[in-house]
Amino acid sequence: MPHYESEPKIDTNLVTGDWREDLFRDGFVVVKGVLSPETADTYKQRMFQWLETFPYGFKANDRSTWGKEHLPEHMKGGMYHGYTVQHEKVIWDARTEPAVIDAFAKLWDTKELLVSFDGMNLTLPAANMPPSTPWPHVDQNPKRKGMQCVQGILNLAPNGLEDGGLVVMKGSHKVNETFFKLHPETPGAGTWGSFDWHGFNEEEVEWFKNRGCGEIKVCADPGDLILWDSRLIHYNTLPVSDNVRAVMYICYTPAAFASKEDLEKKAGYFHGRIGTTHWPHANIFHQEDKHMRLGNPDTFRRDRPVVEPEETDLVLKLAGVKAY
């Protein structure tokens, strides 16, 4: 385990005069117009094309095929982390969009960044979609102090109050450390290891609400970038509307934050086209593809992307393969 007291983090007391102050204060922010609506729509269409590469009968222009029986395995209505999706060219193309990188470079005050090997979400309205159950959680170990990771959603379709998407508890990042000090008996709080995910029950959520942390459904337009502190309580909710939710999970942190060992591990996962967590510089462990679908062993497997990413100089640096 690292020595948490000396881990790198951002100074959230900075006066910036821009969206960074909203992020520091509220724990989340929507950075408007990072991509054009036209570019965002192109990425969404490429995500649909990816679904059509599977042998389950999905057709983007036939809504009768939008049910789970025609889709590859996913979770929470549309989160895809299997089938090496993390290394599809469409996601790597989005990760190398200059304006997306620039937003994180502005936050961390460096362009020498690593990117996460995370997945995507394409939630399709369908009659057989199960009810949405909130799963409020944080993605940062309380032993890690301060803002060390800021998660990102690149939003690719209109996303309003009824369209499903990210729900946050505004300001909960500021009382995160206090909560875990007062609740040392919380399952998992004393045995985190390298695992940085923690879910909250209803009573624990009430503790945060009683301290002014209200739930907010975050809305965004195509091409917006949603950012949030990994200490912020959040979850995703399914759409009530008939609209598609299309997003990519993209997160960057300074390459200088990573240890030599984690860089080597990350590079190996890139070469093996293996997905990890949303953490770019730490928590470098792979997302296991259990090869299950609809509760049974999947009849189809994929160990390499359909379209391999182009291994440019920038891609190799973001992947931790090549030094800056």
Side-chain angles (χ1 to χ4, degrees):
M1 292 291 290
H3 180 59
Y4 289 98
E5 296 306 318
S6 64
E7 278 194 308
K9 59 186 177 184
I10 196 169
D11 181 3
T12 56
N13 293 315
L14 287 174
V15 177
T16 65
D18 56 30
W19 54 262
R20 287 172 288 179
E21 291 185 13
D22 297 326
L23 173 63
F24 299 158
R25 181 189 64 246
D26 300 332
F28 74 100
V29 67
V30 179
V31 185
K32 303 296 294 182
V34 173
L35 299 183
S36 70
E38 294 76 19
T39 300
D41 186 67
T42 297
Y43 279 115
K44 183 184 75 172
Q45 298 308 321
R46 290 173 68 186
M47 291 164 67
F48 271 107
Q49 291 167 11
W50 178 78
L51 289 181
E52 291 183 326
T53 66
F54 291 86
Y56 308 126
F58 174 82
K59 299 295 181 185
N61 61 359
D62 181 0
R63 286 208 170 201
S64 70
T65 68
W66 283 23
K68 61 184 180 181
E69 65 274 12
H70 295 293
L71 294 168
E73 183 65 14
H74 56 278
M75 61 178 288
K76 302 296 182 182
M79 296 176 69
Y80 290 92
H81 293 103
Y83 311 96
T84 70
V85 65
Q86 299 92 336
H87 294 285
E88 287 288 344
K89 187 176 187 296
V90 60
I91 292 186
W92 271 108
D93 286 352
R95 290 170 181 154
T96 55
E97 285 281 354
V100 177
I101 295 174
D102 286 347
F104 281 90
K106 186 173 187 177
L107 173 65
W108 294 110
D109 195 27
T110 180
K111 286 197 171 185
E112 297 186 353
L113 301 167
L114 298 174
V115 73
S116 58
F117 300 161
D118 208 342
M120 69 179 198
N121 189 317
L122 192 59
T123 299
L124 309 176
N128 61 354
M129 185 178 292
S132 178
T133 302
W135 50 305
H137 65 279
V138 293
D139 289 300
Q140 180 169 313
N141 184 329
K143 294 180 180 178
R144 302 187 194 272
K145 307 301 181 184
M147 181 186 281
Q148 297 192 26
C149 189
V150 174
Q151 294 169 250
I153 282 177
L154 183 59
N155 189 64
L156 304 171
N159 192 256
L161 287 173
E162 296 185 343
D163 293 337
L166 182 69
V167 176
V168 301
M169 294 195 71
K170 181 178 178 180
S172 57
H173 63 306
K174 290 188 173 181
V175 291
N176 174 285
E177 186 173 342
T178 300
F179 172 85
F180 285 105
K181 282 182 178 178
L182 295 176
H183 300 80
E185 76 287 353
T186 296
T191 56
W192 286 78
S194 63
F195 198 58
D196 279 59
W197 189 93
H198 177 77
F200 296 90
N201 61 36
E202 291 183 10
E203 183 179 344
E204 292 169 336
V205 167
E206 279 301 313
W207 185 93
F208 285 92
K209 288 182 177 180
N210 290 337
R211 283 151 184 80
C213 305
E215 290 182 320
I216 294 176
K217 163 61 176 65
V218 182
C219 300
D221 296 313
D224 290 349
L225 179 65
I226 305 172
L227 302 176
W228 72 98
D229 189 319
S230 285
R231 299 170 298 169
L232 189 76
I233 296 179
H234 62 282
Y235 61 92
N236 77 305
T237 183
L238 296 180
V240 178
S241 71
D242 198 37
N243 296 329
V244 170
R245 183 190 183 208
V247 308
M248 294 182 188
Y249 301 106
I250 303 179
C251 176
Y252 308 73
T253 50
F257 284 9
S259 68
K260 179 183 177 181
E261 294 74 19
D262 279 339
L263 282 173
E264 291 174 350
K265 191 182 296 184
K266 188 178 183 75
Y269 286 159
F270 174 77
H271 290 310
R273 301 298 191 255
I274 296 170
T276 61
T277 71
H278 74 271
W279 283 75
H281 70 279
N283 269 344
I284 310 299
F285 59 88
H286 71 277
Q287 293 275 12
E288 182 182 359
D289 191 343
K290 298 181 180 179
H291 302 292
M292 297 290 292
R293 178 175 174 270
L294 303 179
N296 298 302
D298 201 341
T299 58
F300 177 82
R301 294 193 180 191
R302 180 175 287 164
D303 297 318
R304 300 291 293 190
V306 178
V307 183
E308 291 276 358
E310 185 180 354
E311 295 191 7
T312 63
D313 184 70
L314 177 57
V315 165
L316 293 176
K317 287 177 176 177
L318 290 172
V321 175
K322 190 173 182 179
Y324 281 93

